[in-house]
Amino acid sequence: MAVGIEALQTLEAPPWLGAGGLTRCRQALGGKLVRETWKYSPLPKVTNALLAADEHQGPPVGALPPGVALHRFDELDVPPTLGIDLNRYPLAGIAAARAGAGWLIDVKRTPSHPLRIPAPALGVSAPLLVRVAASCRVDIEQETVQTTDNADFGAQILVLSLAADSEAHWAAAEFAPTADKWCLLQAHLQRNAALTLNHQGTVSNFLRQDVNIVLGGQGARLASVGAALVQDGGRLDQQLVIEHASGGTVSRIKQHNLAAGRSRCTFNGRIHIHAGASGADADLSNRNLALDPSAEVNTKPELEIYNDDVRCAHGATVGQLDAEALFYLQSRGLGPQQAQRLLSLGFLRDGLAGPYAERAAEAFAAHFTSA
Amino acid sequence: MSLLEVDGLYASVNGEPILKDLSLRVEAGEIHAIMGPNGSGKSTLANVLAGRPGYEVTAGQVSFNDTALVDVAPEARAQAGLFLAFQYPVEIPGVSNMEFLKAAWDSHLAAQGAQPESAVGFMKRARALATSLGLNPEFLKRGVNEGFSGGEKKRNEILQLLLLEPKLAVLDETDSGLDIDALQTVAAGVNRFRSADNGVLLITHYQRLLNHIVPDRVHVLNEGCIVASGDKHLAEKLEAEGYAWLSG
């Protein structure tokens, strides 16, 4: 592949990658697993952008509430392990090698207010690990911030580690940033831990989201609701891998994406039920609207099940607006364009939740007002 | 001039002829009941009147308030005062009932060249009407018909009827799936709507709704055309004898 291999060879691996970590990343870049998941996005271009982008090493967050501490990995006696599968996510190793060891936010007590962590739109950010202690709860709000730099690419790694009986709510939003972006969200949940994810916004750039959630402990739960309006030739590529590694784990995924104009949405959601995950309960739904004939939607829900005692449902739809609903609105006096606008908005708003829902709804409405 | 005039109407759905030489007149101030067995064309008539895509008029005339309807878009029919209460109201998640109702009402006002009603005034009116129909006003914040029971959906149709103040209401089996309480509430809404200036075309299978809404005329539809007309006693005959006598 046409990646700057020479540049890769000059990188120094951070300790958490382990011996030979970067070598594995280099090999994985050419492997089948990575090729499959990058079928609809330009891996060489993104890798080269990752190698060329500026790096951000500064602290990812300002003042923290009591009970929450920020550490650099290299200041810790025992550097934490991120648990990222480099065979699947080799870009994570490269990004970490570019941007430095990483940062740890240690949540040892439930904070009184959400942690607001800006997500720079540009440059390669050092990996951020948020570690939530047992029985604590944390809300994390992360909005991609567009800067005025000339750079045109951003990369970010966020790892959530939830101890037993802890809870985390990660809400993220993008409002039409112009820079291309690759990001990885990795989460490990222990016994009875609960994670809620909300990602929403408008996409007019290239946005690749890799998400790997490991429901590692008995009874761990994931609920994810998201919506994206892809516009102005934007490219959204979402790759989710949800692993039910223990019994009684529950996952609920609902993602609504709308492709307008000459834009493209790709969604690949894989539910992996491990052999020991008796009683696992998974439900994945991805609905897509292609608003214009030139819009493109690719969706692939997958189930990989190694246990008979499970309940799994998955579904994906790609379509136009519902003719019955259109007629219903028209029969009440709304013209076809107004009815289409309302239905499109409704489709997207049905995938909104969390603290950014209202702003996302406004951004969606603005698109249809100006369209 | 009649409120609704249907003369020699033929209509097809997916190329299949359903309505065959159907004629009907509804005057302002009248309630007409259309009854008939399954497949007789009752819902087809309702959908043809509302302009549903796929329902093709192949011959005949339909005029509403002295205006030919056949080539008029559904939204223009609605703005002119024709309302169809759906047999199966559609669920639209993500679009709140209130937002939808306000948009619909604004479209009616705009068609009349009037200014939009203030949001506050409209919301107050909508909430009061919802309460009077036994609908919790919180339903107005939810997605259109989203998660509503069958009865709640039908009450929501009546709420729209009362808010939009049409000249002609076509109720397509609004009584289907209703329990006794909901039936009475829906009937009360229709009676409240009834006035000397508007008309109602009530499509139903059963006489029970007509215990609460007394029709001026009852028509029996069979195989796409009206085969009998009479006063409310015709409905009682149908209730007692069924539809078998139509083929006898």
Side-chain angles (χ1 to χ4, degrees), chain A residues 1 166-167 222 232 277 303:
Chain A
M1 64 188 301
S166 68
E167 285 182 48
L222 167 70
D232 303 330
L303 293 176

Side-chain angles (χ1 to χ4, degrees), chain A residues 140-161:
Chain A
I140 302 165
E141 297 176 7
Q142 194 162 36
E143 179 180 345
T144 297
V145 177
Q146 184 74 60
T147 66
T148 54
D149 295 4
N150 291 324
D152 57 3
F153 179 80
Q156 177 196 326
I157 300 168
L158 175 65
V159 178
L160 303 174
S161 176

Side-chain angles (χ1 to χ4, degrees), chain B residues 9-64:
Chain B
L9 178 66
Y10 287 78
S12 299
V13 183
N14 297 325
E16 184 185 350
I18 305 291
L19 300 182
K20 300 158 188 167
D21 196 19
L22 189 148
S23 296
L24 174 70
R25 285 181 183 225
V26 178
E27 308 293 338
E30 290 184 344
I31 293 184
H32 286 230
I34 304 278
M35 303 182 74
N38 287 331
S40 58
K42 301 188 300 298
S43 290
T44 298
L45 173 61
N47 285 307
V48 165
L49 292 175
R52 182 190 286 269
Y55 287 70
E56 186 190 4
V57 173
T58 52
Q61 300 294 325
V62 181
S63 69
F64 171 59

Side-chain angles (χ1 to χ4, degrees), chain A residues 287 322 324-325 327-336 338 342-343 345-347 349-350, chain B residues 52-53 74-75 78-79 83-84 86 90 92-95 99-100 104 107-108 145 157 160:
Chain A
R287 292 181 59 206
D322 177 36
E324 183 75 8
F327 174 63
Y328 190 72
L329 296 186
Q330 287 181 260
S331 78
R332 298 300 183 252
L334 278 68
Q338 191 184 8
L342 203 53
L343 289 179
L345 267 176
F347 171 80
R349 287 191 298 211
D350 195 33
Chain B
R52 182 190 286 269
E75 64 274 18
Q79 290 162 4
F83 179 91
L84 170 64
F86 280 50
V90 182
I92 309 179
V95 177
E99 177 183 29
F100 156 62
S107 75
H108 283 247
N145 293 318
E157 294 293 285
Q160 293 168 46

